[in-house]
Amino acid sequence: MTEQEPIYRGKAKSVFRSDNPDELIVKFRDDITAFDGAKKDELARKGAYNARVSAYLFRYLEENGVSTHFVRMEDETTMIVRPLKMIPVEVIVRNIAAGSLVRNYPFEEGAPLNPPVIVLDYKDDARHDPMINDEIIVALGFMTTGEIAEVKKAALKINDLLKEKIDKIGLDLVDFKLEFGRHGDEILLGDEISMDSMRLWDKKSHASMDKDVYRFDKGDVMATYAEVVRRLTGE
Ligand code: 5GP
């Protein structure tokens, strides 16, 4: 396996080509950012913690019939994935009102959302990831109406599966963000599922157990991430 300059460098992960044209190498870095990159730090082991949780959840979803880009882990921060042509739409599923939903709409923080609410954002830091709708997605050629329906259905199935898992470790799955991409004719779940992309609240204390600890200086970020890894994977 050869490694050179990344073909893509995101805020927390770098993507490299591999010798196999149907595989890419994703390196989870220790960089952590918030507010579209305005707040930035490097926290030791953060990449390993997020990679561990992502790999664990991708495997669990695959076992339950969800198609993802996950192939295997190479080492604790290196994930081998299928190459995807990413669709620049963040698919957010919300079970409890929090974050931007509470900032922008008259929901009370902590209010249960039943059925869950799906929010679609256009992934573009410079524009601060504005909310997008089905018509704009179709007009921009990102997805067809049928593909949007397929992605929303997958997101709700993923929500059911993740909620079941997260419930068992004493956490509420408040909300999370997914990204999908094209692999040939298929649309696969890509990116990561980690403490950076989920909002998790402890069922007893209601304490944040996710990137909100970093965003809003709520405590020891890496101790929190380590605790989620321990509860979820037993390590
Ligand atoms: P909100 O819209 O409340 O900011 O975020 C809703 C959920 O999606 C949260 O769990 C949040 O972590 C995740 N999310 C939204 N936008 C992003 C993003 O640009 N990057 C990451 N990693 N997660 C996001």
Side-chain angles (χ1 to χ4, degrees), residues 90 92 94 98-101 103 121 129 175-177 196-199 211 215:
E90 298 185 341
I92 296 164
R94 300 176 174 277
S100 66
L101 197 69
R103 276 200 310 280
D121 286 354
D129 297 350
D175 54 37
F176 59 95
K177 185 260 310 175
D196 277 13
S197 60
M198 294 185 280
R199 193 170 267 129
K211 197 160 87 172
R215 289 187 186 102

Side-chain angles (χ1 to χ4, degrees), residues 56-128:
Y56 180 89
L57 292 176
F58 279 138
R59 282 193 189 105
Y60 164 68
L61 292 176
E62 287 278 353
E63 283 161 14
N64 286 282
V66 177
S67 301
T68 80
H69 69 160
F70 181 79
V71 178
R72 65 180 182 278
M73 290 305 286
E74 196 87 327
D75 61 42
E76 64 173 4
T77 56
T78 310
M79 186 181 284
I80 307 300
V81 301
R82 294 275 167 250
L84 298 184
K85 191 169 181 310
M86 293 307 292
I87 299 165
V89 173
E90 298 185 341
V91 180
I92 296 164
V93 184
R94 300 176 174 277
N95 296 302
I96 298 176
S100 66
L101 197 69
V102 171
R103 276 200 310 280
N104 298 330
Y105 305 95
F107 287 102
E108 206 167 301
E109 180 163 83
L113 303 169
N114 216 344
V117 171
I118 297 182
V119 175
L120 304 174
D121 286 354
Y122 171 45
K123 187 178 161 80
D124 186 334
D125 273 351
R127 294 185 163 88
H128 304 293

Side-chain angles (χ1 to χ4, degrees), residues 166-183:
I166 300 291
D167 256 358
K168 284 190 188 141
I169 58 167
L171 299 176
D172 280 324
L173 179 61
V174 175
D175 54 37
F176 59 95
K177 185 260 310 175
L178 303 171
E179 292 181 32
F180 292 84
R182 295 172 195 283
H183 180 254

